[in-house]
Amino acid sequence: MVLIACLWKMDDLSSYADHMVFQPCAPFLAAPWAAGVAMSLSTFTERTNNERRKKELAAALVLITLVLVVVVLYPWRMETVRLRALLAQDCLRVGATRVAMGKWIEANVGKDDAVAADEAGAIRYFGKRKTLDLSGKNDAESLADKAGAILKAKPALIVTARKNPSRVSLEQDLWSPLKLGPGKVVYLKPVFAIDLDGDFITAYKTSYEPPRDF
């Protein structure tokens, strides 16, 4: 059922991130499905003593299995070219933004300082710093309470990939408050930004007390 649901949504670009992980696994999910059907029908054929009937059921078994495999894999095959192109674009985007940000962090952030990012994969790997994943995918604490996780870890840098006019604030060198809850504020100051065709990724220096130049 999960396999059918995923394949049904393959024309939805919003689900691309899921397909990027799911697509290579589709054949492996289809094979056990077909094998399960084959085993079930095989068990059913063993219950008859009529040899001709067994052959007919065996032929039906092979046909049904092949039909199931084709039904599952055909839509997947048609999407391969399109999703491959999207994956290539995504890899280039990650290399030009997240990897570059990670390398900048390695060169500019203290080894004992923590970093928080809403896309922590490449940033964590190339930055080589303790990184809080604000998406919650790798940090359960952040998933349960993002504000609490930030205040506990107190990262020296927060990296956000949201589309925003970060270049203006970067040039103006301004602090801005981010409310995390009642009486809980962290002050952010942009120190580095990358813009790839409108895809902004910005690194903010943090202060947990009102800065003197705020």
Side-chain angles (χ1 to χ4, degrees), residues 48-60:
T48 178
N49 296 322
N50 189 312
E51 292 299 324
R52 181 178 177 180
R53 183 63 174 170
K54 282 185 177 182
K55 292 180 180 180
E56 291 175 348
L57 289 173

Side-chain angles (χ1 to χ4, degrees), residues 11 23 26 61 77 93 121 125 157 171 176 181 187 197 200:
D11 60 341
Q23 184 186 355
L61 160 65
R77 180 194 65 81
R93 180 183 63 85
Y125 182 82
L157 203 72
E171 292 175 350
S176 58
Y187 298 87
D197 297 329
F200 288 96

